[in-house]
């Protein structure tokens, strides 16, 4: 028997991290939310810094903005979040568009407008959104791509606070954020509109988190609805019983509004965002949704443009259930049977008797769903994929749009398109297969509604409704074609090693209680680029065989990892899902690399 006192347990050493000096933050568009001050990394020394590479077209980026709000508030005296706006579309490179987006999405931290992707390239970013953590001494200590990393970053920030408080290198106090002056308008970035039986118009006043009923003139405010209930509402649709169904986008929910009584009722969604592995059907109030952006009544159900997961869902008021109707959650443009189709942020819906029209924003496409026998199929009218866009009229198979958010069925069977980033109202005629331009000089039109033979356009970035006569002849517009301006990664021909880097956050481990906790899906455009390695697996690495006859293309990579708190005493540990989709342009050259690392979370060793 040994009566000696046990030796004290040594304090755990701080986790050792790779130290890479953070590149400077530079962008031709300058800084927003700083009161006019130009920031440098030296100005942020002593603070924990999270650099958020985002672009305002990207719903995943909007999810991350919401994920970071609690962290930003809780650690406001030690943490500075810096948004680096890195555009995908040409319109997103316009400075005023970035200014609008910062207000529209209530971004309450400094934002660097980087239209030429200068800082994006310096940090070797490959995907929207990407988060980079910089310690108080100016070194990069972590990188995360995609959604679901808020808890990991919170843990890391708390570690950095303790470590640098002890070293004397932490500086507490207010950050550099300066709020812009508020602007008084009746509407602020309205999203969608619907004509009420009374002749009045109901509008989703997105940034003010309300619905607004306007008189028939489209200007006079009759009433404001739902203060404190909605969060960035978007789509609105009339139901047969006279109620209105509303896509309560940031609350991940559907609600109904009764214009006769004023009652608002939650009918679908739990308030939590849907993640991979969650139920995709069941009682509507027990199933998570993800950023529902528009709604339409078609074939006895409410159809939902579920932008956050690139799918179309339905809600059946009679049975009180929801289910997936089309889409796999993979982001892209693939037609065919509804269950196998790919969408990319569907954001607008319009129903006719036999078709449900869809504005598929990230592919700059207009698509439709129709019944074929006993099943639904998906077709594309205009659009080719994630990276091609522009303003070009003519035959639909070569016409170009730029991030459309709305579609409106017209009486003659054609479809009006709110071609948002082209600031135009376009038209697709299924009878002729032609695309034309109806009106230009709009400002981010996001929806349109027919009223007495005219068309009322929601000019989101002008904060108003604009009434137009439907022209008999199209407007002539000079054709412009674009591709997303991202440098291709040069890869060597033959075998390419793909590594998705994932390191579980401190205090967590991969959740393997019910089988593999990781998933990797790989495909390519064109499909001929890959001779082997495509498909789904559970390892976060893959050997890809590149076709020597295809010199360039895009690798589509989707990765998911689930980690849980590593505490054996906790029977129900908290778990977190991390996921991201990449579209990596590649060029096959002899001097290219033989390994392609994509960082989901951590640092590439």
């Amino acid at each position: 028997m040994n009566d000696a006192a046990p030796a004290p347990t040594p304090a755990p050493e701080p986790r050792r991290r790779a130290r890479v000096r953070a590149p400077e933050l530079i962008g031709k568009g300058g800084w927003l939310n700083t009161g006019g001050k130009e920031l440098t990394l030296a100005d942020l020394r002593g603070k924990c810094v999270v650099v958020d590479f985002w672009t305002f077209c990207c719903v995943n980026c909007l999810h991350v903005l919401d994920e970071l709000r609690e962290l930003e508030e809780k650690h406001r005296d030690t943490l500075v979040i810096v948004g680096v706006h890195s555009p995908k579309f040409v319109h997103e490179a316009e400075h005023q568009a970035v200014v609008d987006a910062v207000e529209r999405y209530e971004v309450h931290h400094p934002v660097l407008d980087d239209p030429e992707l200068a800082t994006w390239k310096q940090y070797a970013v490959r995907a929207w959104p990407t988060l980079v953590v910089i310690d108080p001494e100016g070194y990069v200590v972590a990188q995360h791509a995609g959604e679901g990393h808020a808890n990991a970053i919170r843990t890391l920030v708390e570690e950095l606070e303790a470590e640098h408080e002890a070293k004397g290198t932490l500086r507490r106090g207010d950050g550099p954020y300066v709020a812009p002056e508020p602007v008084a308008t009746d509407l602020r970035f309205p999203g969608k509109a619907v004509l009420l039986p009374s002749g009045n118009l109901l509008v989703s006043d997105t940034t003010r988190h309300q619905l607004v009923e306007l008189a028939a003139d489209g200007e006079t405010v009759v009433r404001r609805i739902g203060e404190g209930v909605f969060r960035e509402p978007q789509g609105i649709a009339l139901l047969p019983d006279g109620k209105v169904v509303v896509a309560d986008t940031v609350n991940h929910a559907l609600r109904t509004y009764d214009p006769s009584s004023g009652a608002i009722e939650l009918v679908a969604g739990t308030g939590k965002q849907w993640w991979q592995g969650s139920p995709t059907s069941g009682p509507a109030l027990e199933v998570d949704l993800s950023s529902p952006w528009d709604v339409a009544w078609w074939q006895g159900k409410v159809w939902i443009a579920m932008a956050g997961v690139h799918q179309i869902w339905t809600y059946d008021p009679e049975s009180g259930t929801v289910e997936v109707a089309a889409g796999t959650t993979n982001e892209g443009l693939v037609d065919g049977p509804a269950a196998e189709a790919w969408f990319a942020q569907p954001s607008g819906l319009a129903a006719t008797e036999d078709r449900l029209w869809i504005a598929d924003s990230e592919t700059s496409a207009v698509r439709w769903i129709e019944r074929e026998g006993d099943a639904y199929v998906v077709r594309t009218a205009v659009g080719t994929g994630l990276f091609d866009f522009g303003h070009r009229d003519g035959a639909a198979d070569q016409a170009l749009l730029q991030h459309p958010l709305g579609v409106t069925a017209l009486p003659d069977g054609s479809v009006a398109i709110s071609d948002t980033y082209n600031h135009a109202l376009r038209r697709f005629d299924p009878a002729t297969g032609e695309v034309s331009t109806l009106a230009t000089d709009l400002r981010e039109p996001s929806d349109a509604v027919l009223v007495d033979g005219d068309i009322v356009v929601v000019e989101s970035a002008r904060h108003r409704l604009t009434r137009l006569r439907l022209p008999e002849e199209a407007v002539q517009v000079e054709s412009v074609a674009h591709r997303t301006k991202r440098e291709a990664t040069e890869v060597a021909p033959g075998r390419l090693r793909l590594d998705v880097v994932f390191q579980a956050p401190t205090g967590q481990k991969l959740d393997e209680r019910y089988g593999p906790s990781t998933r990797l899906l790989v495909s390519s455009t064109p499909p001929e680029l890959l001779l082997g390695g495509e498909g789904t697996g559970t390892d976060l690495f893959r050997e890809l065989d590149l076709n020597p006859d295809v010199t360039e293309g895009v690798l589509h990579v989707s990765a998911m990892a689930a980690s849980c708190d590593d505490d054996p005493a906790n029977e129900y540990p908290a778990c977190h899902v991390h996921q991201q989709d990449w579209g990596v342009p590649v060029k096959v050259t002899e001097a290219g690399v033989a390994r392609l690392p994509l960082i989901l979370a951590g640092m590439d060793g």
Side-chain angles (χ1 to χ4, degrees), residues 79 161 217 301 423 600:
L79 171 68
E161 285 176 342
D217 62 8
K301 295 181 181 180
H423 311 300
L600 180 60

Side-chain angles (χ1 to χ4, degrees), residues 514-586:
Y514 309 109
S517 61
T518 55
R519 187 190 72 162
L520 180 64
L521 172 66
V522 180
S523 62
S524 66
T525 302
E528 297 78 23
L529 175 64
L530 288 178
L531 293 177
E534 69 274 15
T536 303
T538 57
D539 292 323
L540 291 181
F541 62 88
R542 189 76 58 83
E543 297 288 344
L544 307 180
D545 290 317
L546 301 178
N547 187 342
D549 297 329
V550 180
T551 58
E552 60 182 31
V554 178
L555 292 175
H556 303 284
V557 181
S558 178
M560 185 272 288
S563 61
C564 294
D565 292 344
D566 188 10
D567 182 359
N570 186 353
E571 187 177 356
Y572 303 104
C575 297
H576 309 274
V577 177
H578 317 263
Q579 63 184 51
Q580 174 61 15
D581 296 334
W582 291 267
V584 184
V586 295

Side-chain angles (χ1 to χ4, degrees), residues 254-266:
L254 299 187
R255 300 181 194 272
T256 57
Y257 162 62
D258 188 342
S260 60
S261 68
I264 298 173
E265 180 184 0
L266 175 67

Side-chain angles (χ1 to χ4, degrees), residues 113-365:
D113 180 10
D114 182 18
E116 297 176 344
L117 303 182
T119 295
W120 166 289
K121 294 171 186 174
Q122 287 293 311
Y123 280 78
V125 175
R126 293 185 183 274
W128 298 276
T130 291
L131 300 169
V132 176
V133 182
I134 301 173
D135 73 11
E137 294 179 290
Y139 291 91
V140 174
V141 293
Q143 182 169 325
H144 304 266
E147 303 178 48
H149 301 292
N151 183 70
I153 292 175
R154 175 188 60 78
T155 300
L156 178 54
V157 165
E158 290 171 354
E159 287 181 3
L160 292 172
E161 285 176 342
E163 178 182 336
H164 289 272
E165 187 95 82
K167 289 175 66 175
T169 49
L170 186 71
R171 176 166 56 89
R172 294 183 179 272
D174 291 338
Y177 170 68
V178 178
E181 289 293 322
V183 181
T185 53
D186 287 333
L187 301 174
R188 207 70 194 159
F189 298 104
K192 307 285 186 180
V194 69
L195 180 66
L196 296 173
S198 65
N200 289 351
L201 289 153
L202 188 65
V203 184
S204 55
D205 195 18
T206 303
T207 299
R208 296 225 174 96
H209 313 291
Q210 297 175 341
L211 305 180
V212 175
E213 184 177 340
L214 300 176
D217 62 8
E219 297 180 9
T220 306
V221 175
V222 175
R223 61 178 59 86
R224 296 184 179 276
I225 302 144
E227 183 176 1
V229 176
F230 298 109
R231 286 186 65 201
E232 296 183 25
Q234 287 284 350
I236 315 171
L238 278 172
L239 300 179
D241 63 3
K243 293 181 181 178
V244 175
V245 63
V246 183
D248 191 2
T249 304
V250 175
N251 279 327
H252 309 295
L254 299 187
R255 300 181 194 272
T256 57
Y257 162 62
D258 188 342
S260 60
S261 68
I264 298 173
E265 180 184 0
L266 175 67
V267 295
T270 64
K272 296 179 181 178
Q273 182 183 338
W274 187 93
W275 289 97
Q276 289 286 353
S278 300
T280 56
S281 64
L285 293 172
E286 299 175 14
V287 177
D288 299 339
L289 309 181
S290 183
S291 296
W293 210 274
D294 204 4
V295 283
W297 179 257
W298 189 53
Q299 298 195 347
K301 295 181 181 180
V302 175
W303 292 66
I304 309 162
M306 201 71 76
V309 286
H310 317 300
Q311 290 180 315
I312 307 295
W313 288 40
T314 60
Y315 160 62
D316 184 346
E318 187 172 329
S319 64
T321 58
V322 293
E323 64 180 347
V324 174
T328 64
T329 75
N330 295 321
E331 185 178 12
L333 194 156
V334 176
D335 288 342
E340 301 171 15
W342 291 22
F343 296 93
Q345 220 167 292
S347 301
L349 300 175
T352 63
E353 184 177 350
D354 58 352
R355 289 183 178 182
L356 180 72
W357 293 96
I358 303 163
D360 201 30
S361 62
E362 280 293 289
T363 53
S364 297

Side-chain angles (χ1 to χ4, degrees), residues 424-564:
L425 189 67
R426 311 283 292 283
R427 176 177 177 262
F428 168 66
D429 186 350
T432 64
E434 294 283 315
V435 174
S436 56
T437 297
L438 297 176
T440 58
D441 194 30
L442 302 167
R443 187 69 186 170
E444 291 193 17
S446 54
D447 195 20
V449 58
L450 287 171
V451 180
D452 297 331
D454 294 337
I455 192 161
V456 175
V457 180
V458 180
E459 274 199 274
S460 189
R462 283 202 178 113
H463 320 292
R464 71 187 189 192
L465 305 188
T466 300
R467 191 172 184 128
L468 303 173
R469 296 264 179 206
L470 276 172
E472 294 182 6
E473 294 185 4
V475 177
Q476 296 300 311
V477 178
E478 183 178 352
S479 295
V480 180
H482 300 289
R483 281 186 66 83
T484 300
K485 294 182 179 178
R486 292 168 59 195
E487 290 185 3
T489 299
E490 294 190 355
V491 296
R495 185 61 61 90
L496 175 67
R497 166 84 177 203
L498 171 67
D499 283 319
V500 174
V501 178
F502 178 77
Q503 296 159 0
T506 302
Q508 293 185 22
K509 65 178 181 179
L510 288 174
D511 176 22
E512 297 180 338
R513 292 170 296 165
Y514 309 109
S517 61
T518 55
R519 187 190 72 162
L520 180 64
L521 172 66
V522 180
S523 62
S524 66
T525 302
E528 297 78 23
L529 175 64
L530 288 178
L531 293 177
E534 69 274 15
T536 303
T538 57
D539 292 323
L540 291 181
F541 62 88
R542 189 76 58 83
E543 297 288 344
L544 307 180
D545 290 317
L546 301 178
N547 187 342
D549 297 329
V550 180
T551 58
E552 60 182 31
V554 178
L555 292 175
H556 303 284
V557 181
S558 178
M560 185 272 288
S563 61
C564 294

